[in-house]
Amino acid sequence: MKKRKYVRKQQSSDSILSRMCGKMSAEAAERVSAAPGGRPSSPVQTSWFEFLLDGSLLETHLHKASPDPTAAQLIVQFLEQASKPSLNEQNQVQPPVDNRRNRTLKLLALKIAAHMRWDLDLLEKGLSIPVLNMLLNELLCVSKVPPGVKHVDLDLSTLPPTTAMAVLIYNRWAIRTIPSNDVLLLFCLWLPWQLKEQSADSISVLEGALRLHKDFYVHNVRTLDLLGADAAGTANGETEASTAGLRISAHELHCQVRYDLGGIYFQQGCTDQGAYGKAMEHFRLTRDLLQKLGSSLHVHLDEKRLAGYWNACRALTGTLGPADATATPYGQINTILKFGCRDHIHSLPNHLRQSVLREYLHKAQQGERGLDDVCQQLCVCNAVRDALQGEGLSVRFHQLLLKPSKRLVDFILEVCTRSLEKDRPSETSRQNMANFMKTLCESLEELPLVFVVSSHKLFMELLREEERKVLVEQMRKRSATINLSAKPLPSFYDIPASASVSIGQLEQQLILSLEPRRVRQILIEVHGMAQRHFWRINSKWEVPPDYINVILGIKDPLTKDLVYILMAKGLHCITIKDFGHARQLFSACLELVTEFSPRLRQVMLNEMLLLEVRAHETLAADGCRDRPSSDLVSRVRGYLEMRIHDLPLRQVVGEECVAFMLNWRENDYLTLQVPPPLVQSNPYIKLGQLLASTCKELPGPKESRRTAKELWEVVVQICSMSTQHKRNNDGRMGLIKHRESSMGIMQRSVVCFSPENVCLSSRFKDDIVNEVTAEHLTIWPSSILNMQAVDVEAVAVTVKELVSYALTLNPNNQSWLITQADIYFGTELLPPAAAPCWPGRVTASARVPIDFWMCPCCTVKACCPMVAVLCQFLRETDYMTAFKALQEQNGHDAMDSFYDYIWDVTILEYLTHIHHKRGESEKRQIAIKAIGQAELNTSNPEEVLQLAAQKRKKRFLQAMAKLYF
């Protein structure tokens, strides 16, 4: 078969996916699925390679009630395997090979999409943008769309039906994937920008399709089977026929295309008001076609979303009729914007009410005049609705009550009255309104305004006479107290407004309080007493430098103090692992900034994500093995892919998100789904991808060494220094070192210890004895080209920290314990070097090479009795070393305290001889007593002697572990 080309002007999917995918053999896939410590046990998944071996397996699998893996997961696996790069004889990376295996894998992916009837809603839900891009490119390829020709230049009427339909599916997806303004604000990815540049061409292609009034055909499983036979030279040319494939009628095609075109025109309406008219026309015709078609298997759209689009277009174009004014939330919002909000307080959902208020506040901040009264009215309406539902009142409403006018109080009372008149209120609603009226009275400083409320008809109806009298009397007394004060204090909740409360006392309460409402109330009090920046009163209140300018740019002094203090207190709570209070403080801060600043809202969302990541990792460190929720994983992915211009980002958030994905083995995401531009622009994502790829491929064939080599080179670059000559103040030349890599030394947060762990190895000295041993040494390069440039001290510190942290997660990992001992020995921290591999720390189940380094450790540090004891651990007792060690006279090693750990009678007899020779009668008697123990009698059976030895080994090793740890 003639070799096909996969490179197109519109996209280069193969190269994209091949850079994002690691390689895993079938055996490795089985090992990963069976690895301990991973996901909970479940039925064995069908492996991707089994579908290559059995042609009928795919159809059987897809018709299962709950196939595992799912259809979308299989598409990802097939395309991942088909796009693996290869290596030539010079070990250079080459594009994926165009062979029968890879073509079959791509064809299998297309068959799954055909089984899903090319439903873009399902495909977009289950596949990332790069994977779906590659899938649709394969559809273009097998449908024989001319390569290198723009789709807009093709005449669809002359193309075979399946070819034309492939072009239409791709361009439908292209305009659906172009992000709207709101999406751009949150998650701007690299590929949607590419598609946005060609959106005009895609729209032209789809508009042209509406002029065609003939049936179309799209590939189904059968025609794709025929394509496979065609590749093998056994086909009969049926795929070229005009009726081959799944029939799509002209009405069905027009209905789907008009819906998608309406969506893109609706997005464009933000910058081109006339586009709303085009969108409305397409949506109108979509509705008409749906009525004609009835239920169609080939039209995939959300009818509720269509209805929402339709109403929104009518409202935006001014064609909403009087009967529709209050029929939907959109109509109600439109009425509110035109005629006010008093009559619609009950009908709008909470998120829509808040959305309207935020919209007006944003416009007011942008300098649009005449909106202050509207914002006040909206705030009052929302507050009354919240009060009716028994919810707390917003900060903004309390701020309105600091200096209210009689007009504002009258408006509040009017809204309260209408809110209860509209429907027959429940007893709960009446009680909530009564509480609101009391709160309103307590919040007003001026007694005349209090009387306006207390004399109102609604107040008289809702509160009993006794309650009214008590409340009015309290207001009179408070008013008298306030008049004695030079600066009256507004009263909220449980803080008494009294001149006797000094500003110093309030500041002390402000420093100590962790309750958001209390913090807010105190700030309102102190701002009434003095005009200064209260965020400065505690030097320990710190917010990240990245956020300082944004927070200090807030114009309102009270809001500025409140945002700064809530964030600073929340960050402090995270530091001390008080995550409960941190959540409360951050939630209050998020609610506050949402009202006026989209930038600070996203900042708080990012900080709350970091809070949840750290909280989950803290639980994991405490022994909890629960996997993070899918929502948390999704939020972490969203942050890594987020691209918002002019948004302050803290580097530590990105670092810990990458570490989180590594720690919970989200290797498929890091190796396959992260957009390549992010990998190139973010060094932490690059390192995370390399770690994930290396972990994913262990243990694997030679191909896995390519990823390991890349990881090695990045780590060497991180730890490398370059030397420059610089003249000192005294005129002499000195050496200045700086890092070659902009990545610097990675913080410990980017450390992964999953079951497929990778331990790096290094050397601290030139002699082979001091090499640090670790797992998987064979995958790393055997040498470093520029060893002089490597900062050996930095390597030592990094590896030491790495292994120490690993052992906090798995204290009984024998390989890591030996690695730690090598590190200590290599850096001449010898006393602890022996301790990590003692079975009291590991377990007594595995033999360790004590003769290689344990005895030298103890000998160098003159721990002579330890040497004598350890010589018994060897397969053959090393009497020469033991006797030499016991001959050393060292007064500080408490020699006789080790005799209980000696089971070799020859060594004990030698001890009695030495003590007799030195005149140490007391120690000689201890040695004789040890020899006299019945279980050490050489006439005992071998099992008894072995048991005695094992018991002394265990006690000795546990004692040493306790001594050094």
Side-chain angles (χ1 to χ4, degrees), residues 549-655:
N549 291 336
V550 182
I551 295 176
L552 297 187
I554 299 173
K555 295 179 181 179
D556 180 61
L558 174 60
T559 305
K560 182 192 303 180
D561 283 347
L562 188 53
V563 171
Y564 187 100
I565 293 171
L566 288 176
M567 182 182 286
K569 284 177 175 285
L571 291 170
H572 173 71
C573 287
I574 294 176
T575 303
I576 62 175
K577 299 184 179 180
D578 182 0
F579 299 113
H581 278 116
R583 288 189 183 94
Q584 294 177 15
L585 292 160
F586 277 179
S587 296
C589 192
L590 174 64
E591 179 186 358
L592 176 63
V593 300
T594 297
E595 295 183 352
F596 64 88
S597 175
R599 291 175 67 200
L600 278 175
R601 177 179 181 274
Q602 190 59 51
V603 164
M604 289 311 306
L605 288 173
N606 295 346
E607 289 300 317
M608 292 179 77
L609 172 61
L610 180 60
L611 160 64
E612 296 304 330
V613 166
R614 288 184 171 172
H616 199 279
E617 294 297 348
T618 299
L619 286 175
D622 292 339
C624 177
R625 295 304 175 196
D626 293 341
R627 286 190 58 81
S629 66
S630 58
D631 175 66
L632 180 56
V633 174
S634 177
R635 288 167 61 193
V636 171
R637 290 184 179 188
Y639 179 85
L640 293 176
E641 297 171 3
M642 180 176 62
R643 281 297 175 270
I644 302 179
H645 299 293
D646 196 29
L647 179 70
L649 296 175
R650 279 214 293 162
Q651 182 171 302
V652 67
V653 184
E655 297 170 11

Side-chain angles (χ1 to χ4, degrees), residues 689-757:
Q689 186 185 70
L690 291 173
L691 278 169
S693 298
T694 308
C695 290
K696 187 177 177 181
E697 295 170 356
L698 280 177
K702 291 184 178 179
E703 288 82 350
S704 65
R705 297 186 181 181
R706 179 179 60 81
T707 305
K709 182 182 179 183
E710 289 183 41
L711 176 59
W712 176 275
E713 290 172 350
V714 168
V715 173
V716 170
Q717 184 187 15
I718 292 170
C719 299
S720 293
M721 309 281 286
S722 66
T723 303
Q724 291 182 348
H725 292 277
K726 185 175 180 180
R727 192 171 299 280
N728 298 330
N729 294 333
D730 58 5
R732 292 180 297 176
M733 295 298 290
L735 293 179
I736 303 297
K737 292 184 176 181
H738 66 86
R739 296 223 172 271
E740 291 283 2
S741 172
S742 60
M743 298 168 76
I745 289 292
M746 295 294 165
Q747 296 185 9
R748 194 172 72 181
S749 61
V750 194
V751 173
C752 165
F753 292 100
S754 60
E756 309 90 355
N757 281 295

Side-chain angles (χ1 to χ4, degrees), residues 87-144:
L87 296 176
N88 61 15
E89 295 178 355
Q90 288 77 33
N91 258 0
Q92 295 173 329
V93 179
Q94 301 295 312
V97 178
D98 183 22
N99 54 23
R100 182 179 177 184
R101 169 189 176 274
N102 288 347
R103 288 194 296 271
T104 303
L105 285 168
K106 293 174 182 178
L107 206 60
L108 287 171
L110 290 173
K111 285 183 181 180
I112 297 173
H115 173 79
M116 299 166 73
R117 296 180 177 272
W118 302 101
D119 185 345
L120 289 181
D121 287 335
L122 290 177
L123 291 171
E124 289 168 345
K125 184 178 180 181
L127 304 178
S128 66
I129 290 175
V131 174
L132 185 49
N133 182 47
M134 181 179 181
L135 178 71
L136 295 181
N137 269 279
E138 288 304 318
L139 175 63
L140 295 175
C141 189
V142 301
S143 301
K144 299 184 179 178

Side-chain angles (χ1 to χ4, degrees), residues 248-501:
I248 308 294
S249 71
H251 282 336
E252 289 172 328
L253 177 68
H254 288 189
C255 182
Q256 190 71 67
V257 169
R258 287 193 182 279
Y259 176 74
D260 293 331
L261 283 172
I264 187 65
Y265 282 132
F266 188 84
Q267 290 183 25
Q268 294 177 352
C270 298
T271 54
D272 177 12
Q273 187 68 23
Y276 287 127
K278 295 180 182 179
M280 187 172 72
E281 180 63 14
H282 280 295
F283 289 135
R284 182 185 68 79
L285 293 171
T286 302
R287 285 157 51 94
D288 294 344
L289 287 168
L290 271 180
Q291 290 179 354
K292 290 180 182 179
L293 291 169
S295 58
S296 171
L297 293 175
H298 309 314
V299 177
H300 310 290
L301 55 82
D302 185 340
E303 294 191 38
K304 289 184 179 180
R305 190 176 183 86
L306 173 62
Y309 272 134
W310 171 246
N311 289 320
C313 287
R314 296 176 69 195
L316 291 166
T317 55
T319 59
L320 201 64
D324 303 314
T326 58
T328 65
Y330 298 101
Q332 294 169 24
I333 290 177
N334 193 48
T335 303
I336 287 173
L337 297 180
K338 288 184 177 180
F339 308 112
C341 54
R342 297 177 179 86
D343 295 326
H344 299 276
I345 187 169
H346 282 290
S347 53
L348 285 182
N350 180 61
H351 66 279
L352 290 178
R353 292 189 292 107
Q354 298 299 336
S355 177
V356 172
L357 177 57
R358 284 196 296 271
E359 178 70 20
Y360 272 102
L361 287 171
H362 182 67
K363 289 181 178 180
Q365 281 210 332
Q366 297 299 316
E368 194 169 331
R369 297 182 179 180
L371 294 182
D372 289 344
D373 287 345
V374 177
C375 291
Q376 286 186 1
Q377 291 179 6
L378 287 170
C379 183
V380 168
C381 289
N382 287 347
V384 174
R385 172 68 178 271
D386 291 339
L388 280 173
Q389 295 178 341
E391 298 176 1
L393 301 177
S394 67
V395 176
R396 186 165 295 279
F397 180 71
H398 280 299
Q399 290 175 334
L400 285 180
L401 298 182
L402 287 177
K403 295 181 180 179
S405 62
K406 183 177 182 300
R407 180 184 173 194
L408 177 64
V409 174
D410 288 340
F411 180 78
I412 294 173
L413 294 172
E414 180 186 359
V415 174
C416 291
T417 303
R418 292 197 181 192
S419 67
L420 289 182
E421 287 177 350
K422 190 170 181 63
D423 299 306
R424 180 176 297 177
S426 65
E427 187 59 34
T428 302
S429 296
R430 293 178 63 83
Q431 184 59 48
N432 289 338
M433 182 58 74
N435 294 335
F436 175 75
M437 300 293 281
K438 288 194 285 187
T439 301
L440 181 61
C441 283
E442 293 169 353
S443 303
L444 297 172
E445 293 180 13
E446 299 181 19
L447 200 57
L449 294 180
V450 174
F451 288 145
V452 169
V453 177
S454 61
S455 60
H456 194 270
K457 177 184 176 182
L458 186 62
F459 184 88
M460 307 285 283
E461 290 178 356
L462 295 176
L463 276 76
R464 296 191 303 272
E465 184 176 358
E466 295 78 10
E467 289 180 304
R468 297 198 302 270
K469 288 181 178 179
V470 171
L471 185 61
V472 172
E473 187 61 28
Q474 288 177 347
M475 296 302 102
R476 287 181 184 276
K477 291 180 180 179
R478 194 194 67 179
S479 178
T481 304
I482 291 175
N483 289 335
L484 296 176
S485 171
K487 290 190 176 181
L489 302 176
S491 176
F492 288 95
Y493 299 94
D494 56 346
I495 300 181
S498 171
S500 61
V501 179

Side-chain angles (χ1 to χ4, degrees), residues 233-252:
T234 59
N236 55 13
E238 185 180 344
T239 54
E240 299 293 333
S242 60
T243 59
L246 182 67
R247 177 179 171 273
I248 308 294
S249 71
H251 282 336
E252 289 172 328

Side-chain angles (χ1 to χ4, degrees), residues 2-59:
K2 186 176 179 181
K3 186 173 182 179
R4 300 182 300 172
K5 294 183 178 179
Y6 294 93
V7 179
R8 301 188 175 279
K9 188 168 184 177
Q10 280 83 1
Q11 53 278 326
S12 54
S13 304
D14 280 359
S15 60
I16 290 169
L17 196 58
S18 64
R19 291 197 303 270
M20 299 167 68
C21 297
K23 183 164 186 177
M24 179 182 289
S25 65
E27 294 81 2
E30 292 176 356
R31 282 193 293 271
V32 170
S33 65
R39 301 177 187 275
S41 60
S42 58
V44 178
Q45 280 191 346
T46 307
S47 297
W48 62 267
F49 65 87
E50 295 180 48
F51 296 94
L52 286 174
L53 304 176
D54 184 354
S56 63
L57 180 59
L58 181 63
E59 187 173 356

